[in-house]
Amino acid sequence: MERRSVLEIIAQGAWDGGTYVDNSLYENRGMFFKGGVPVSDETIQSRVGVRTRVAAPEDERIGRASFEDLLENSGLDTSRVKVVIGATNVGDDKRDRGPQIRHSVDLIDRYCPDATVFDLYAGCPGFNVSVELLLAMSLSGRLGPNDLSVIVGAENIHRAQAFTALDTANIIFGDDSMATALETTAASEPPEECREEERRDLRLSDDVVSGIAEAVAETVGNDHVDGIIVDNQLGNLQLRVPASAARVQHRLVELFHPQEKRAGTFGRFKDAIEFYDRHVNSFAYDIMSLECAPEVVWNAARAHVESGRQKCIVSIFVAPDRSFEFAVHRGLGRSVRVPDEGVVDAMTRTHGCFANYIQAIVEDDELFGEIDGKGVFLYATRGVVQHLAEFFARIGVTIFDIDLMIEHQANFAMIPTTVEQILAGKVEDVKAAAAAFVADKMVTNIHRRGNCSVVCMQRLPYDLERGALEPDTIQGCDVNRDLATMRQARTVLYDSVGAGMTRSSFLVRRGSDDPEPGS
């Protein structure tokens, strides 16, 4: 039968090591949740839904382990691998300037020597954003039929000591790594013409973000920017969490809309998100190329434009010596054929005005992560409505067409609240409908593995397919209730939210001739 897809997820590899750590580790350590609530097993479960989390050993590169598992046990023809993406935030060591994927370079040289290799930093949605980039590369013809790509998600929060010792963020996270292979399955339509205007050999000031934004603003003019991609070779964790591109995005918004900055619009959540949704509507993420060459970020931006998905993308290369160059890639934004099967569509939106909700900061000459839990909860649950309304309209579906929703697990409480926001105004009893949706059309493992950050989007379907999930109850909500039906899901929505702040979604539709997942 003729395939009606452009890009398909075809195989996964996993790191399945580590130690399960229960909540007793965090009791009697002088830790408190906000409001002065002492940390205990009971309060941890009631606040975030975690009972155990997985901690990686000190001496193991878990990203390398999952990548090796994929390469050695999937049966893939690895000579066809053309792109390898390391999707991460912190990696194994917060002092490691990256790219993290270099720790697997001998595997790449041995199995897939022709691959373009880079890290991608987009917060917890890094896997989803990577899928969107690979879809653009497939639609533009930069990846052709039978070409393979691999996304290696890895996060080793405990080994990296990402948070201060008494920060309750330690309680939420578990360590994890997965590798996912995707295949480009069809030839693209003729690519969109991509015109470029470039500026080269500029020098950064001490304020990296403003220096880049001010130079870009002069060139962009009145054009609406659909996306910003930065190849950040400085390797500074503070310019990676959140991605420097998100900061540049917001600085551009301030330059183009100074009256809104003066009015304090971006300091008020409701006003800020509404302004971004009306006037900004763009993505922003960083990469770090292994070969440290501008052509990698240039080609990523070109793919977005040549696919017809975007009209104007800015790509920026920041060299280790603090020089930088950028290009503005422009096209017509023609209508794109939406595939019937496989990865149907993807959409990423960044709200750089909320970049400080999750960020790396310096404290006593040491780097630590800082999370505004209230702000993240607000963005994750309130931001979903407009995002999915636009995404669903593009592909002609509704929430009721979704058989399975893979949602990022920042903490469990976000999940039913997010679904309630999606269903509000569409059903009579929102809470009951949301509870049924969570139980029957979503999978959850945060209570066992913790929030595994960028790896959640890969681990959840993997655990479903291999039978590693069980029905349970978390914070009074039934979860994993209808696993047999969910394993047969044909229309699957992946939705994730994280640092930047960024939300990214993609839809997978399995054809009737596809094998059952996990078979």
Side-chain angles (χ1 to χ4, degrees):
M1 173 180 280
E2 180 184 357
R3 303 299 296 174
R4 297 179 296 170
S5 64
V6 171
L7 182 68
E8 296 185 2
I9 297 171
I10 60 170
Q12 288 187 292
W15 168 75
D16 276 328
T19 303
Y20 279 87
V21 178
D22 66 28
N23 290 335
S24 64
L25 178 68
Y26 296 102
E27 293 188 317
N28 303 314
R29 289 179 56 182
M31 299 177 73
F32 294 87
F33 288 112
K34 287 184 178 179
V37 177
V39 166
S40 66
D41 177 64
E42 180 182 358
T43 58
I44 290 172
Q45 291 197 46
S46 65
R47 291 279 179 127
V48 297
V50 175
R51 298 173 194 159
T52 59
R53 65 215 38 86
V54 178
E58 289 289 328
D59 59 349
E60 186 173 13
R61 296 265 180 202
I62 62 177
R64 177 190 169 89
S66 67
F67 188 29
E68 190 167 25
D69 180 55
L70 174 72
L71 295 175
E72 293 187 348
N73 299 312
S74 64
L76 295 174
D77 177 1
T78 56
S79 67
R80 294 194 282 126
V81 175
K82 302 303 179 187
V83 178
V84 178
I85 302 175
T88 186
N89 293 312
V90 179
D92 295 307
D93 184 348
K94 62 188 176 185
R95 292 165 291 273
D96 188 336
R97 301 183 74 83
Q100 302 297 315
I101 196 65
R102 79 181 190 284
H103 298 298
S104 300
V105 71
D106 61 318
L107 296 175
I108 295 167
D109 289 343
R110 188 190 331 162
Y111 290 98
C112 34
D114 297 328
T116 298
V117 185
F118 53 92
D119 276 2
L120 189 148
Y121 309 116
C124 293
F127 175 73
N128 293 22
V129 177
S130 298
V131 170
E132 180 173 16
L133 174 57
L134 295 175
L135 178 61
M137 295 179 75
S138 299
L139 289 168
S140 69
R142 291 186 173 272
L143 288 170
N146 302 314
D147 283 346
L148 302 179
S149 305
V150 176
I151 304 170
V152 182
E155 215 62 83
N156 206 337
I157 300 292
H158 293 96
R159 172 175 165 175
Q161 297 180 338
F163 303 99
T164 57
L166 297 183
D167 191 332
T168 53
N170 289 299
I171 293 169
I172 300 173
F173 288 96
D175 303 329
D176 210 353
S177 180
M178 296 285 302
T180 299
L182 300 94
E183 182 179 17
T184 300
T185 54
S188 68
E189 299 174 354
E192 175 76 58
E193 180 184 352
C194 184
R195 300 176 290 106
E196 294 170 328
E197 184 174 353
E198 299 181 10
R199 293 278 300 274
R200 297 181 177 273
D201 299 326
L202 302 172
R203 180 65 57 174
L204 285 170
S205 62
D206 290 338
D207 188 341
V208 173
V209 169
S210 290
I212 293 172
E214 289 164 9
V216 170
E218 293 179 7
T219 302
V220 170
N222 293 323
D223 284 357
H224 178 267
V225 175
D226 296 310
I228 301 169
I229 313 174
V230 178
D231 187 340
N232 177 10
Q233 292 289 328
L234 296 179
N236 187 328
L237 185 64
Q238 290 172 280
L239 293 174
R240 197 164 78 215
V241 182
S244 62
R247 302 268 193 196
V248 170
Q249 179 204 53
H250 185 55
R251 183 66 188 123
L252 281 172
V253 170
E254 290 180 328
L255 291 171
F256 291 139
H257 302 279
Q259 70 283 4
E260 301 296 340
K261 180 183 178 182
R262 289 192 298 269
T265 298
F266 306 120
R268 300 186 297 272
F269 178 85
K270 184 175 183 294
D271 293 340
I273 199 167
E274 288 180 354
F275 182 87
Y276 260 70
D277 287 342
R278 287 197 311 271
H279 300 290
V280 181
N281 273 332
S282 65
F283 62 75
Y285 64 86
D286 281 12
I287 68 170
M288 189 177 192
S289 59
L290 185 63
E291 60 188 88
C292 190
E295 202 60 30
V296 177
V297 72
W298 268 215
N299 285 336
R302 287 168 181 151
H304 280 288
V305 173
E306 291 169 347
S307 69
R309 295 169 56 81
Q310 282 86 26
K311 292 183 180 181
C312 180
I313 302 292
V314 175
S315 62
I316 303 152
F317 178 82
V318 182
D321 66 358
R322 297 178 66 86
S323 64
F324 75 101
E325 48 191 295
F326 68 89
V328 180
H329 311 263
R330 296 180 173 92
L332 299 176
R334 60 177 168 78
S335 175
V336 179
R337 175 177 63 89
V338 175
D340 296 309
E341 298 171 6
V343 179
V344 173
D345 199 2
M347 189 179 85
T348 301
R349 292 289 183 266
T350 301
H351 294 75
C353 53
F354 306 129
N356 63 345
Y357 283 0
I358 302 177
Q359 60 184 337
I361 62 170
V362 176
E363 185 173 308
D364 297 327
D365 296 322
E366 183 62 276
L367 277 170
F368 292 108
E370 181 182 73
I371 298 178
D372 178 347
K374 182 178 179 181
V376 172
F377 190 96
L378 194 62
Y379 180 81
T381 55
R382 300 291 177 86
V384 67
V385 178
Q386 177 63 28
H387 180 90
L388 287 185
E390 181 182 346
F391 183 53
F392 286 167
R394 282 180 13 176
I395 52 181
V397 302
T398 72
I399 190 63
F400 303 108
D401 297 315
I402 304 302
D403 300 322
L404 174 65
M405 183 173 177
I406 308 295
E407 181 68 27
H408 175 61
Q409 309 170 121
N411 69 48
F412 181 76
M414 286 185 184
I415 295 174
T417 304
T418 297
V419 176
E420 287 173 17
Q421 293 289 323
I422 298 169
L423 293 176
K426 300 178 178 66
V427 295
E428 288 188 8
D429 190 337
V430 171
K431 285 193 175 295
F437 192 98
V438 171
D440 298 331
K441 293 193 173 186
M442 300 181 76
V443 285
T444 303
N445 65 13
I446 189 173
H447 53 307
R448 298 194 67 243
R449 302 193 68 93
N451 169 5
C452 51
S453 187
V454 73
V455 191
C456 282
M457 293 293 100
Q458 294 167 282
R459 172 64 68 173
L460 282 166
Y462 177 81
D463 275 2
L464 173 63
E465 291 176 15
R466 69 178 182 145
L469 301 174
E470 296 178 348
D472 210 325
T473 302
I474 306 175
Q475 296 176 349
C477 298
D478 291 338
V479 298
N480 304 331
R481 187 167 65 187
D482 194 1
L483 293 168
T485 300
M486 286 190 281
R487 276 192 286 271
Q488 300 171 11
R490 294 297 175 188
T491 303
V492 184
L493 174 68
Y494 290 69
D495 180 61
S496 184
V497 63
M501 292 293 293
T502 289
R503 187 168 216 115
S504 183
S505 307
F506 70 93
L507 189 84
V508 171
R509 188 176 288 125
R510 299 187 179 109
S512 58
D513 59 324
D514 285 338
E516 294 297 331
S519 63

